Structure formats: C-alpha cells, structure tokens
Amino acid sequence: MIIDDSEVFRKVVTVYLKNSDYEIVEASNGEDALKKLQETKVNLIICDVNMPVMDGLTFLSKVKADPNNKFTPTIMLTTESQEEKKKEGMEKGAKAWLVKPFSPQQLLSAISRLII
C-alpha cells in the first residue's frame, strides 16, 4: 500500500513497484488508508508524513494499534529529514525512513529487507 496525498507521487511509486511485480493499493491520506485496510490485507505500507485529513504519524499510531495490521512493516517515505521526526516515527513502529527525493533502488532495497 502506498499512502501519499500527491496522486502524481503515488503513480511514480506504483510504476516502480509494478515493474518489480508488486501489486499496489493506493490511499490519499491516513484515513483513506485505514478504510482500505479494513477491506484489504497488505504485506507492506509505504507512507508519507505530511498529508491532510490524517497525517502519516497519526496513521502509524492507529495502524499499529490494530491487531490485524500491527505487524505489517511500514516504510515512511517523506520530505521530513529531521532526526526528531524520524525518531518519533520509529518509536511509533516504522521499520524504515526514506527521505524524498529517493532512488527507486533505495525503495526496492528497503522493501526487500522487510518482505519475506
């Protein structure tokens, strides 16, 4: 699942991942993602931090409190590079923190380490 308020960014990431044979579910913010997770089981979540309606760190807290999704690995893919934000995200359960702009190889490498 890719969660980002930028449709263009979601499409770019989707192209990278589909070329590597991953199936993608897209969500435009944390609230949209939580709704979609009620209907769909995913193996990995890639989430932005700064989004309207529900930001990525709030989403991370809520998804990790959900017994059905609390062990789903989450990569934060964001423009936020401050150590405090990264620390907060990791404490809330993120397994990786990538800063935009990123290379497709960075993302694929992080995914391959988290998906068995």
Side-chain angles (χ1 to χ4, degrees):
M1 172 178 271
I2 176 73
I3 311 164
D4 199 295
D5 57 317
S6 167
E7 184 176 349
V8 171
F9 186 77
R10 289 194 315 268
K11 295 298 179 200
V12 168
V13 173
T14 296
V15 167
Y16 291 152
L17 298 181
K18 283 193 173 180
N19 287 337
S20 297
D21 294 326
Y22 291 109
E23 293 179 32
I24 310 301
V25 175
E26 293 183 32
S28 59
N29 59 63
E31 185 176 285
D32 184 30
L34 288 174
K35 288 177 188 171
K36 289 180 178 178
L37 284 171
Q38 291 174 354
E39 306 161 4
T40 307
K41 178 68 177 147
V42 300
N43 296 318
L44 179 91
I45 297 167
I46 300 168
C47 186
D48 189 12
V49 171
N50 298 313
M51 298 178 289
V53 184
M54 182 186 295
D55 68 271
L57 295 176
T58 302
F59 164 79
L60 190 56
S61 294
K62 290 182 180 274
V63 81
K64 293 303 177 185
D66 176 0
N68 294 321
N69 293 298
K70 72 180 192 176
F71 296 113
T72 304
T74 303
I75 298 171
M76 303 307 287
L77 183 55
T78 179
T79 58
E80 295 289 345
S81 60
Q82 301 95 335
E83 275 304 311
E84 289 176 18
K85 284 274 189 191
K86 180 178 179 180
K87 183 179 180 207
E88 181 182 357
M90 301 306 265
E91 287 173 352
K92 289 184 177 197
K95 296 295 181 195
W97 190 279
L98 298 177
V99 177
K100 298 174 187 174
F102 67 100
S103 74
Q105 194 52 47
Q106 281 178 296
L107 181 58
L108 291 171
S109 176
I111 290 170
S112 68
R113 286 192 309 267
L114 294 173
I115 293 182
I116 299 171

